[in-house]
Amino acid sequence: MGFSDYRTALVTGASSGIGAATVRRLCAEGMEVHALARDARRLARLSAETGCRVCEIDVNDLGAVKQLAALVAFDILINNAGQSRRGTILEMAPDDVDTLVDVNLRAVLHLTRLIVPGMASRDRGHVVNISSIAGHYAFGENATTFNSSVAYHATKAGIHSLSQQLRVDLYGTRVRVTEISLGRVATSIFQNQNAVENPDARFVAGFETLQSEDIADAIAFAVGAPTPMNVAMIEVIPTFQVVGGLQFARRSEAAPVQDMTTGADNA
């Protein structure tokens, strides 16, 4: 199995960054690629360039997604669409929590339940879930180098768990599941290098970051693998980036412990 055995693919978050690079890569393999995103103008340009099919759909529009899944028998599903927010759980806005859960997790679950049963019945298919090292490691504020939040970490951990369980649910079929866990990638979040206009530019300027094409190549490697080989997980990080690490706050840096009964600080 590989590209020659697959005919159709659906890529979410396809209008820019990793999604657009993946559309280009799969189209170059001669596949019929459906590019799903909300930005009609960018999708039109991508279609003119690659010949992909435009799907101007919000991943949270369950009716539209359900209709698309009923119309096309997809051999490949690339769950790439995602959003990020900054902030600890102590300061996150309710709307930010809802957006991250809706886009990063809920939409992926619905796309999977709508498309994967058809793959299983045909005994052919590949699901690629784009996750993040944020789903596997905890980062401190100074170490994160991401525009991330606790809710973002939680949703990406959910994608990791989904990928693991999906392989169990598909046991005995030739439907493969790949999780690609990313480190720092120079996607649209960081495209503006002007630190005055975009404070997140400091996470890219001066660093060797991965490019969207690097991730598209990783996807192509997993999808193009022979039938007996399921590339279950790839962790893709820049050579100069390391994950993990230990942080230990000095006593003077630690927040005072408050006595909840009296309101007094017990530092």
Side-chain angles (χ1 to χ4, degrees):
M1 191 174 291
F3 284 110
S4 61
D5 298 287
Y6 297 137
R7 304 180 186 88
T8 58
L10 176 63
V11 181
T12 69
S15 60
S16 64
I18 295 169
T22 302
V23 169
R24 294 186 183 98
R25 187 68 171 80
L26 296 181
C27 284
E29 296 291 340
M31 299 196 63
E32 177 186 298
V33 182
H34 295 245
L36 188 153
R38 295 176 299 175
D39 194 320
R41 184 175 300 179
R42 286 184 176 180
L43 286 176
R45 289 199 298 264
L46 186 62
S47 180
E49 174 192 348
T50 65
C52 70
R53 304 286 184 91
V54 170
C55 302
E56 186 188 344
I57 296 174
D58 187 320
V59 289
N60 287 310
D61 186 343
L62 185 55
V65 170
K66 185 176 182 179
Q67 184 177 17
L68 177 63
L71 290 174
V72 184
F74 290 109
D75 295 318
I76 300 174
L77 170 61
I78 312 290
N79 283 311
N80 167 70
Q83 292 199 20
S84 180
R85 296 290 189 276
R86 183 191 302 282
T88 69
I89 198 65
L90 306 178
E91 58 194 15
M92 283 202 73
D95 288 348
D96 287 343
V97 173
D98 291 343
T99 296
L100 291 176
V101 172
D102 287 345
V103 176
N104 295 0
L105 188 56
R106 193 191 312 277
V108 175
L109 288 166
H110 281 305
L111 280 160
T112 301
R113 75 172 182 85
L114 290 169
I115 292 173
V116 171
M119 295 180 179
S121 66
R122 296 187 298 275
D123 200 28
R124 181 183 73 243
H126 203 131
V127 180
V128 178
N129 292 326
I130 304 300
S131 69
S132 167
I133 60 173
H136 312 293
Y137 306 94
F139 303 131
E141 176 64 23
N142 294 327
T144 173
T145 66
F146 281 108
N147 183 35
S148 62
S149 66
V150 63
Y152 178 83
H153 285 241
T155 58
K156 290 305 180 180
I159 295 302
H160 173 63
S161 182
L162 166 64
S163 301
Q164 291 182 313
Q165 186 60 44
L166 190 55
R167 293 186 200 101
V168 175
D169 292 350
L170 292 168
Y171 175 73
T173 74
R174 291 185 177 85
V175 181
R176 300 182 293 181
V177 181
T178 298
E179 176 189 356
I180 299 189
S181 181
L182 307 181
R184 197 184 325 176
V185 183
T187 57
S188 58
I189 295 174
F190 306 121
Q191 282 178 351
N192 185 348
Q193 298 288 318
N194 188 329
V196 175
E197 297 179 10
N198 177 15
D200 295 323
R202 71 183 186 276
F203 294 148
V204 171
F207 295 95
E208 285 187 8
T209 57
L210 298 171
Q211 302 298 313
S212 297
E213 291 74 18
D214 298 324
I215 310 308
D217 286 342
I219 292 171
F221 170 76
V223 172
T227 303
M229 177 178 171
N230 180 27
V231 182
M233 181 176 174
I234 308 177
E235 188 172 274
V236 189
I237 60 175
T239 301
F240 285 169
Q241 183 180 26
V242 65
V243 294
L246 176 65
Q247 298 184 59
F248 201 160
R250 295 177 181 272
R251 290 178 183 270
S252 59
E253 296 170 343
V257 178
Q258 188 175 55
D259 185 332
M260 301 305 293
T261 59
T262 66
D265 289 341
N266 296 325

